[in-house]
Amino acid sequence: MKKIYTQYCRYNFWANQKLSAIFKELPEEKADQFVESSFPSAKKTILHIWDAEIIWLKRLHGEMPGSFPSNAFVGNTIEAIAGLLKTSRDFIDFVERQDDIFFDEKFTVQTITAGSYTQKAGEMIHHCMNHSTYHRGQLLMMARQLGLKNLPSTDMIFYLREEG
């Protein structure tokens, strides 16, 4: 199981890097421009992905965050991207340090908005990486609407081919 979760976390980091490259070039006013989606702008979507990765990683460390980290964020899009990439890298490092039995370990999680529940560590990791993939798809749609060209493919198959 460790190999699968490590690969999924590495893919997540790779895909976040691909999208980060195009959004770093986007002027701040465009990053904040309203686009119809789950979140009203590219920057807010990037912050949401970062929030989720931070929160899930903290939960896996046994911490229970009481609020979304982006609530206190005052930086620009480039700083949000840097934070997301650091957290994605931290996720890889964390997963690589675990032994195989960790992924079946159950955690009781207190969520910010939906109460508490018990979940296996591997399921939490899988959910978080899948969540990021879902919102990266939205970011690509937003990028098209904001006029960005030469958008990267962030499908896992391209990661696997690139990694060989």
Side-chain angles (χ1 to χ4, degrees), residues 2-157:
K2 179 178 179 171
K3 181 180 176 184
I4 292 169
Y5 295 124
T6 300
Q7 181 181 54
Y8 209 18
C9 289
R10 287 176 183 258
Y11 157 68
N12 181 67
F13 178 70
W14 173 89
N16 284 344
Q17 285 181 304
K18 293 281 186 188
L19 276 187
S20 295
I22 63 167
F23 281 100
K24 283 181 180 178
E25 303 303 319
L26 191 66
E28 195 65 22
E29 64 275 1
K30 285 270 201 176
D32 285 325
Q33 182 178 320
F34 177 81
V35 180
E36 187 71 42
S37 191
S38 295
F39 295 90
S41 71
K43 182 178 178 182
K44 287 189 187 292
T45 305
I46 291 165
L47 287 170
H48 176 71
I49 296 169
W50 185 22
D51 273 346
E53 290 191 22
I54 289 172
I55 287 169
W56 284 107
L57 186 56
K58 285 185 178 208
R59 288 173 178 160
L60 289 162
H61 280 286
E63 301 172 34
M64 296 301 136
S67 65
F68 295 105
S70 67
N71 290 347
F73 182 76
V74 293
N76 62 31
T77 304
I78 291 173
E79 292 166 320
I81 289 167
L84 171 60
L85 291 176
K86 181 189 179 314
T87 301
S88 297
R89 180 74 236 171
D90 291 346
F91 228 115
I92 295 168
D93 295 342
F94 175 80
V95 169
E96 286 179 341
R97 288 192 309 269
Q98 305 311 309
D99 54 26
D100 283 325
I101 62 171
F102 170 79
F103 302 101
D104 283 325
E105 187 178 325
K106 291 186 177 183
F107 286 76
T108 298
V109 173
Q110 178 63 47
T111 70
I112 295 169
T113 59
S116 65
Y117 60 91
T118 301
Q119 200 78 46
K120 288 181 181 179
E123 293 169 346
M124 293 164 60
I125 294 164
H126 195 114
H127 163 73
C128 183
M129 299 302 110
N130 191 61
H131 175 269
S132 293
T133 299
Y134 174 80
H135 288 295
R136 277 192 302 270
Q138 292 179 328
L139 281 170
L140 282 168
M141 181 263 320
M142 290 176 168
R144 285 185 190 96
Q145 291 183 26
L146 294 169
L148 294 173
K149 304 289 184 205
N150 301 317
L151 302 177
S153 175
T154 58
D155 286 346
M156 189 168 190
I157 195 68

